[in-house]
Amino acid sequence: MKKLFILVIGVISVSVSQAQNINDALRYSSGDIKGTARFQSMSGAFGALGGDLSAFSVNPAGSAVFTSSYASISLGIENNENDTNYFNGMNNSSNSSVNLNQGGGVFIFKNTNDNSKWRKFSLGINYDISKNYEDDWRANGTGNTSIGQYFLANAQGLRLDEISALSPQEPITQAYSEIGSIYGFGNQQAYLGYESFILEPETFDDDNQNYTSNIRGNSFKQDYSYAATGYNGKISFNVGTQYGDDTYFGLNLNSHFLNYERYTSLYETNSNENSTVRDVLFDNTLSTNGSGFSFQLGGIFKLTNELRAGLTYDSPTWMSLQDETTQYLETLVIDDTNGDFYQVVDPNIVNIYETYRLQTPSKITGSLAYVFGTKGLISFDYSRKDHSKTKFKPTSDTYFNYQNTLIENALTAASTYKIGAEYKLNQFSFRGGYRIEESPYADKNTIGDLKGYSLGLGYNFGNTNLDLSYSKSQQDRNYQLYDTGLTNTVAIDNSNSNITLTLGFKI
């Protein structure tokens, strides 16, 4: 993994929060199938089953299915592989990480009153990784749009005195900080473009609002690097109960915590005639930290001795997030009069954005399972989530309102299908599963459907069990380099695999 963050020494700038977009909304609201090895080996199809600590992340009633108190801990090795294609430039990269996927326990309290239909109660706590952000890839090719268009798109329509230093003697650090604090993110980007000689104003009057780019032509060699790390996890506080012989209810109160760090770097060069700026190096870092809350309500019902059904409601997740960014820009300027020179624009500033809120959509899950006595089972889960309901808040904020409109138009409701099976032979358990997660995008092109399969093996020692799983998923996506100007996309074929080992024991 590349080193993600450059050491920053200097002034801290407080900016208007205008860096969030639809990609952030999806990143922080989506999750993967993690948790115990048994849960992963059946592709998470546990909504009507329970009896597993990660199962009550799907249906909180699953904790009451346990017949005795139980605890488990899970370690996982995850490998992420990306094949990228950018203007026919092909690259392959992969990275691995070791994680604590899950840890928790559930305590069972049986009702000794034989006249009561409330047979038992359960109290549980469980930690699960929802999303691992570890990712690393590179794309290069010869594109037809320059990074100069990014700075031009941010500058057009802004007054020159709002994107430039107060005087030639004003330090870059001070000018960048003041512009960000007073005018916001877009003006900062325009300042970088102007200070690096990428932008050329029509006039040098303070009220000028028209600019051109000093990068000319339509052929640009570009090399883009992406490196990210971090995780999205949750701790679930669970209470469950069994009513009669056939009905289970449960409630989860979930505490979410998030850390995401990303480094991107674009190096562009050209030999185009009349292009004053030939080389550009543009680095960006982003660090996001946050916390949130959600709850889940669920029930499991034995329709017959063999057939079970489950129903779960997942509330929206209400998250509070804060971003920090740094930027670095360097250009090679062609000057026939005084000689060529490199212009470095290094603000040496951490932009600390105002805390903002993100509300992810709710989800409904319906489940069926058929249990073949002590020999095995087969289980199916179906869930639906309307991603277009994702919202940045406060909605009264003009920028957030604009982003919410984009989300509403671009995203759609998506379904997830999961099927899992288990066969028991003496102390051994053999497991497998398959899942399909539909794209959250209405066009199905920005992010494609996710498809994955899983296998697993378990051994029961009596009071202790050891489980091993292997899962793999594949998904295509088109990654847009920047929000505006340089909007070329990198085609990414992502493959993600996990090996998880779980130790579980009765307590």
Side-chain angles (χ1 to χ4, degrees):
M1 170 61 69
K2 300 174 183 177
K3 185 177 180 181
L4 294 183
F5 283 88
I6 303 167
L7 179 63
V8 177
I9 303 173
V11 182
I12 294 178
S13 169
V14 180
S15 302
V16 178
S17 184
Q18 287 195 350
Q20 301 78 28
N21 56 39
I22 189 172
N23 297 321
D24 299 308
L26 273 179
R27 182 189 308 115
Y28 304 143
S29 63
S30 62
D32 292 330
I33 294 179
K34 305 293 185 186
T36 68
R38 184 175 181 231
F39 182 78
Q40 290 193 61
S41 65
M42 293 173 58
S43 292
F46 267 85
L49 292 174
D52 183 278
L53 285 176
S54 290
F56 69 69
S57 68
V58 178
N59 189 336
S63 64
V65 176
F66 281 97
T67 57
S68 61
S69 300
Y70 183 83
S72 68
I73 187 170
S74 305
L75 293 176
I77 300 174
E78 182 170 349
N79 183 72
N80 215 29
E81 184 172 350
N82 293 294
D83 293 319
T84 62
N85 184 348
Y86 184 67
F87 288 97
N88 295 321
M90 311 293 290
N91 278 280
N92 174 269
S93 62
S94 64
N95 62 280
S96 299
S97 60
V98 179
N99 303 288
L100 176 65
N101 282 354
Q102 175 273 335
V106 62
F107 298 92
I108 302 299
F109 304 92
K110 295 182 180 179
N111 191 351
T112 57
N113 183 357
D114 295 335
N115 296 322
S116 174
K117 287 192 174 183
W118 298 101
R119 301 299 171 85
K120 63 187 174 190
F121 299 90
S122 59
L123 291 175
I125 182 171
N126 192 57
Y127 160 79
D128 271 320
I129 287 183
S130 302
K131 183 81 172 179
N132 181 5
Y133 294 124
E134 196 85 15
D135 203 6
D136 190 348
W137 53 267
R138 178 184 175 189
N140 51 36
T142 302
N144 55 11
T145 305
S146 168
I147 184 62
Q149 297 302 308
Y150 168 79
F151 297 105
L152 187 62
N154 276 286
Q156 213 68 272
L158 300 179
R159 289 173 55 95
L160 182 60
D161 59 357
E162 295 176 352
I163 67 166
S164 58
L166 294 176
S167 69
Q169 290 75 36
E170 185 179 23
I172 290 173
T173 294
Q174 183 177 342
Y176 180 84
S177 175
E178 289 175 349
I179 290 171
S181 297
I182 298 171
Y183 300 112
F185 176 79
N187 290 65
Q188 275 185 327
Q189 307 315 292
Y191 168 76
L192 292 175
Y194 177 69
E195 193 69 25
S196 63
F197 295 99
I198 291 175
L199 296 180
E200 186 72 23
E202 187 175 273
T203 71
F204 286 90
D205 298 329
D206 285 348
D207 59 356
N208 174 77
Q209 298 181 34
N210 298 314
Y211 306 87
T212 57
S213 173
N214 283 320
I215 304 177
R216 308 292 172 79
N218 57 9
S219 179
F220 308 96
K221 292 182 180 179
Q222 295 167 336
D223 191 330
Y224 186 88
S225 298
Y226 176 104
T229 189
Y231 59 91
N232 189 342
K234 71 176 180 180
I235 297 177
S236 298
F237 301 91
N238 171 272
V239 58
T241 185
Q242 179 183 350
Y243 182 80
D245 295 327
D246 305 322
T247 307
Y248 306 83
F249 299 106
L251 166 69
N252 281 347
L253 301 178
N254 302 313
S255 176
H256 300 258
F257 44 91
L258 179 147
N259 168 256
Y260 174 73
E261 298 178 352
R262 182 187 70 208
Y263 167 79
T264 63
S265 179
L266 175 74
Y267 176 70
E268 175 184 295
T269 183
N270 74 84
S271 56
N272 300 327
E273 188 177 356
N274 298 325
S275 187
T276 304
V277 175
R278 294 294 175 88
D279 296 355
V280 181
L281 175 63
F282 186 36
D283 295 343
N284 284 270
T285 67
L286 167 67
S287 175
T288 302
N289 290 282
S291 59
F293 170 79
S294 69
F295 68 88
Q296 296 165 281
L297 292 169
I300 295 176
F301 314 95
K302 287 185 178 180
L303 305 181
T304 67
N305 286 334
E306 296 81 16
L307 185 62
R308 302 177 184 181
L311 183 65
T312 309
Y313 169 76
D314 288 54
S315 78
T317 300
W318 297 276
M319 302 198 74
S320 179
L321 303 167
Q322 186 175 58
D323 295 342
E324 297 181 7
T325 65
T326 68
Q327 296 187 291
Y328 175 90
L329 182 61
E330 182 178 332
T331 57
L332 172 61
V333 182
I334 305 302
D335 188 338
D336 294 333
T337 303
N338 300 310
D340 304 346
F341 63 93
Y342 283 96
Q343 177 72 358
V344 174
V345 187
D346 184 6
N348 230 12
I349 286 292
V350 178
N351 292 305
I352 301 179
Y353 291 85
E354 296 174 359
T355 299
Y356 61 99
R357 288 174 286 135
L358 178 68
Q359 179 179 316
T360 71
S362 60
K363 182 172 70 172
I364 293 289
T365 301
S367 310
L368 286 173
Y370 194 89
V371 180
F372 301 92
T374 61
K375 288 295 184 181
L377 58 90
I378 186 169
S379 179
F380 174 77
D381 283 7
Y382 169 80
S383 61
R384 188 166 179 83
K385 186 176 183 179
D386 190 350
H387 297 275
S388 68
K389 303 297 184 183
T390 306
K391 292 186 183 299
F392 286 110
K393 292 187 174 183
T395 55
S396 58
D397 182 276
T398 303
Y399 179 79
F400 285 158
N401 186 57
Y402 171 71
Q403 289 298 323
N404 290 338
T405 300
L406 293 180
I407 289 171
E408 187 175 350
N409 292 332
L411 303 186
T412 188
S415 298
T416 298
Y417 309 86
K418 299 183 289 187
I419 187 168
E422 180 179 58
Y423 175 73
K424 294 183 178 181
L425 181 63
N426 300 322
Q427 282 77 36
F428 286 96
S429 296
F430 303 91
R431 304 171 182 125
Y434 185 77
R435 63 181 168 126
I436 298 175
E437 296 181 15
E438 293 180 343
S439 169
Y441 275 87
D443 64 11
K444 303 292 183 182
N445 293 320
T446 306
I447 296 178
D449 295 344
L450 182 147
K451 299 178 181 180
Y453 68 90
S454 54
L455 300 169
L457 177 67
Y459 189 86
N460 191 337
F461 294 91
N463 290 328
T464 305
N465 60 276
L466 194 64
D467 299 301
L468 181 68
S469 70
Y470 172 79
S471 62
K472 187 171 185 177
S473 62
Q474 186 276 333
Q475 187 174 43
D476 296 332
R477 66 181 188 269
N478 288 298
Y479 176 89
Q480 186 171 302
L481 297 186
Y482 298 93
D483 290 340
T484 186
L486 180 53
T487 57
N488 294 336
T489 59
V490 180
I492 302 175
D493 182 359
N494 174 257
S495 177
N496 181 277
S497 59
N498 284 271
I499 297 174
T500 300
L501 181 67
T502 297
L503 175 65
F505 47 89
K506 294 179 181 179
I507 54 177

